[in-house]
Amino acid sequence: MSDVHEHVPKERGSVWQADVASIGILVLFVLLIYGIERFLQPTLGRSGLLVAGVIISIVPAFIWLAFFYRRDRLEPEPKHMVFQLFLLGALLANGIGIPLVDGWFDVPNWLSSSPVLAQLLGGWLIVGMVQEFLVYAAVRFTIYNHAEFDEETDGVVYATAAGIGFATVLNIAFVVNSGGVALGSGGIRIVLTTLAHAAFAGVIGYFLGRQKFEKRPLYWMPLGLMLAAGINSLFFYFRSMLSSGSIKVVGGAANPWLGLVLAIVLTGVVTALISRAIHNNVEEALAAVEEG
């Protein structure tokens, strides 16, 4: 009986608590940056805005890692492996993701000006698939077969680390290519990008965790990749429409905060759905053990 219980998934409530707490802190961070720009009105030259933008790009990753390490005191995870996944996600973004999307496919020069269907398909099959496959690969070909990957929730933790590393490099590239960014609007974009990629990676991690510990059909992981890539495409399409004012809301003006709200909602919904799915899986597994 003990051997069976070793394979029964466990709930890891502190993972979801840490996710919710980190979302709250990131929102406060954006409000702080926005307040500094609006009320203190610091005078920064091009170099100052560049340095400030790079620092702001890194802060969300440190916030997430800090909450992970705090959670780790209750439910130990190999810290070095989580950090390695973060670094690997960053390296894959810089070495493969950005060169493929921006260079090989030249996405910045045609995607946003294309018809809606082409934008959605390009965002899904090119941008989304490249980015989410690299997050998948970061976990699948490193920690996946390690003994420390011993719970379904571990897939979410490790994939999220890779996704946040990926997002961090995307944010730094955005700042550098823009020659610096305004603190308020730049901070909003950086945080929403981090939250969104954490959500996409959470989907990948959930599918990886289920695949490792259950007998899943061959289409299971491709389905997870396509789903994460599709959410990626839809999110950034609607974020662009909301932020530019193309989708009219109350007031009808362009508002970068709407993109942040969308990212918060997306991350919250994905976190809740994954948490509920794992909870249901735990209950089903325990019921099966009791019946056996």
Side-chain angles (χ1 to χ4, degrees):
M1 181 68 71
S2 60
D3 291 339
V4 175
H5 275 286
E6 288 179 1
H7 296 88
V8 174
K10 302 174 185 177
E11 292 203 66
R12 304 276 290 279
S14 60
V15 172
W16 319 118
Q17 293 167 10
D19 282 346
V20 172
S22 62
I23 292 172
I25 295 298
L26 285 173
V27 172
L28 291 176
F29 171 68
V30 171
L31 292 173
L32 174 63
I33 296 298
Y34 186 81
I36 290 174
E37 181 185 53
R38 183 175 180 83
F39 298 109
L40 298 182
Q41 298 181 349
T43 302
L44 298 175
R46 184 182 179 89
S47 298
L49 289 174
L50 182 62
V51 172
V54 170
I55 293 173
I56 293 171
S57 298
I58 297 171
V59 168
F62 278 105
I63 290 174
W64 185 85
L65 288 170
F67 272 95
F68 168 78
Y69 289 145
R70 180 174 178 80
R71 180 195 64 79
D72 185 66
R73 294 188 303 176
L74 299 175
E75 295 176 359
E77 288 284 356
K79 297 183 181 69
H80 67 284
M81 289 185 176
V82 173
F83 190 65
Q84 285 172 5
L85 263 296
F86 168 79
L87 289 179
L88 182 56
L91 290 172
L92 288 172
N94 186 64
I96 301 177
I98 293 175
L100 267 180
V101 172
D102 293 356
W104 182 266
F105 290 107
D106 197 26
V107 166
N109 289 324
W110 61 267
L111 186 63
S112 61
S113 59
S114 299
V116 173
L117 181 59
Q119 288 187 50
L120 292 172
L121 288 176
W124 181 28
L125 300 176
I126 297 177
V127 181
M129 283 302 295
V130 168
Q131 293 179 346
E132 304 318 319
F133 177 80
L134 290 174
V135 171
Y136 159 79
V139 179
R140 180 62 181 84
F141 301 113
T142 57
I143 190 68
Y144 185 81
N145 290 318
H146 197 282
E148 293 293 348
F149 192 144
D150 57 2
E151 293 293 339
E152 289 182 11
T153 310
D154 290 342
V156 178
V157 172
Y158 293 126
T160 301
I164 290 176
F166 201 103
T168 300
V169 168
L170 291 181
N171 285 329
I172 292 174
F174 165 70
V175 170
V176 172
N177 292 336
S178 302
V181 293
L183 297 182
S185 59
I188 292 171
R189 177 180 173 124
I190 286 166
V191 169
L192 74 84
T193 298
T194 303
L195 287 174
H197 280 278
F200 310 149
V203 174
I204 296 293
Y206 170 74
F207 276 79
L208 275 166
R210 293 289 299 273
Q211 177 181 261
K212 178 168 183 177
F213 297 104
E214 301 174 19
K215 186 176 181 180
R216 309 305 300 177
L218 290 176
Y219 63 78
W220 175 255
M221 203 61 237
L223 174 64
L225 283 168
M226 295 294 282
L227 177 60
I231 297 172
N232 183 320
S233 175
L234 287 171
F235 171 80
F236 283 108
Y237 172 76
F238 283 111
R239 189 270 299 176
S240 176
M241 294 298 100
L242 284 169
S243 298
S244 67
S246 298
I247 296 178
K248 300 298 182 183
V249 292
V250 177
N255 189 342
W257 288 99
L258 295 174
L260 180 61
V261 171
L262 183 63
I264 293 170
V265 171
L266 170 68
T267 308
V269 169
V270 168
T271 298
L273 289 176
I274 292 175
S275 175
R276 172 53 57 182
I278 291 179
H279 172 77
N280 291 340
N281 191 42
V282 169
E283 290 191 337
E284 291 174 3
L286 289 174
V289 169
E290 291 175 359
E291 290 176 1

